[in-house]
Amino acid sequence: MTVRTPGRGLAAAVLVAALAAASAMSVGVARAQGAPPVPAGGVIAETPPVTLLYQNFPNPFTPSAAGRTCIWFDLAQDSEVRLEVFDLRGRRVKRILPFTGFFGVVPAGRYGRAVTGQCDPVVSWDGRDEDGRTVPTGVYLLRLDADGQHLFRKIVVQVP
């Protein structure tokens, strides 16, 4: 997406892009499971204008064999990426990225979406810690470190 703002600087263009992304996110929250909108066909080819960490969905979620929470993020430029889940005491519960096959400098783009616009199992969380145990019911923090930013979202886990 290219944002052109005649007579305005780069900062204004970035602000317009951020507001457009925020608007898209608010529309997405109203959709089923809170997913941001995805164009027909599910393929998004252009480089995102800003680095974003979307709210995971579903949220709250119940960990189970099929129960995962989807994580979507956009990178505006090539960057090393770290995506982790922490408890409210600041202890790391799970490292999602990097992992084998997805490490080092990650190209700019949109991540976490499968071709259908749904959840990519590679960039999702099943509610288990590093040792494979299901975490207790509670609030957790999802942290994305990328493109010189530290972005957070809350994840609510409900264990039956």
Side-chain angles (χ1 to χ4, degrees):
M1 174 173 142
T2 303
V3 178
R4 297 187 192 278
T5 54
R8 296 186 181 152
L10 178 61
V14 170
L15 178 60
V16 169
L19 291 173
S23 175
M25 280 181 43
S26 66
V27 170
V29 169
R31 293 181 63 217
Q33 299 182 334
V38 174
V43 178
I44 305 172
E46 71 262 357
T47 300
V50 294
T51 296
L52 288 173
L53 174 61
Y54 293 91
Q55 182 62 54
N56 63 292
F57 66 95
N59 193 32
F61 87 103
T62 303
S64 67
R68 304 181 76 79
T69 190
C70 299
I71 301 167
W72 291 9
F73 64 92
D74 295 349
L75 292 179
Q77 56 187 312
D78 299 358
S79 176
E80 289 194 23
V81 173
R82 181 169 293 234
L83 185 64
E84 299 171 307
V85 178
F86 292 87
D87 66 16
L88 291 181
R89 293 185 180 178
R91 294 179 296 205
R92 187 177 72 210
V93 172
K94 179 73 174 185
R95 176 181 290 153
I96 299 169
L97 298 175
F99 68 89
T100 304
F102 200 117
F103 62 92
V105 176
V106 176
R110 301 177 191 269
Y111 294 90
R113 300 139 174 98
V115 175
T116 62
Q118 292 302 310
C119 189
D120 180 352
V122 173
V123 186
S124 65
W125 184 44
D126 62 0
R128 297 187 186 280
D129 65 14
E130 296 287 355
D131 297 323
R133 296 179 303 240
T134 300
V135 298
T137 295
V139 177
Y140 295 83
L141 297 176
L142 176 64
R143 176 178 163 169
L144 173 68
D145 295 333
D147 195 13
Q149 299 182 54
H150 309 290
L151 305 171
F152 292 85
R153 295 286 178 251
K154 288 185 217 174
I155 298 177
V156 178
V157 175
Q158 294 178 331
V159 179

